[in-house]
Amino acid sequence: MAPEVHIITDANALLTATEAVSLEAYENAIMGGEGAVKVATNVPLAFKIDHVHNNEAGNSSH
């Protein structure tokens, strides 16, 4: 089997889910420090598994 996982991503949730992050507050850079911690807190809420195809090896559905 070669499962194919379809994931839906809500990019806005990275900045708004649990911890609101303002890019202006971090001068548009959140690579490290408090801003990165807030984004990391939001990551689990930004991704959702929509569905999975259980394909035979070498066969992809879409």
Side-chain angles (χ1 to χ4, degrees):
M1 300 297 283
E4 185 177 293
V5 180
H6 290 244
I7 300 172
I8 296 175
T9 305
D10 180 357
N12 188 52
L14 290 172
L15 300 177
T16 62
T18 301
E19 293 282 343
V21 178
S22 167
L23 293 179
E24 291 177 357
Y26 297 101
E27 298 178 6
N28 295 321
I30 54 173
M31 297 299 295
E34 181 185 340
V37 172
K38 287 183 177 183
V39 170
T41 300
N42 293 336
V43 166
L45 300 173
F47 297 94
K48 178 179 97 174
I49 295 175
D50 187 49
H51 62 280
V52 177
H53 296 276
N54 289 319
N55 304 314
E56 290 187 29
N59 296 328
S60 180
S61 60
H62 61 246

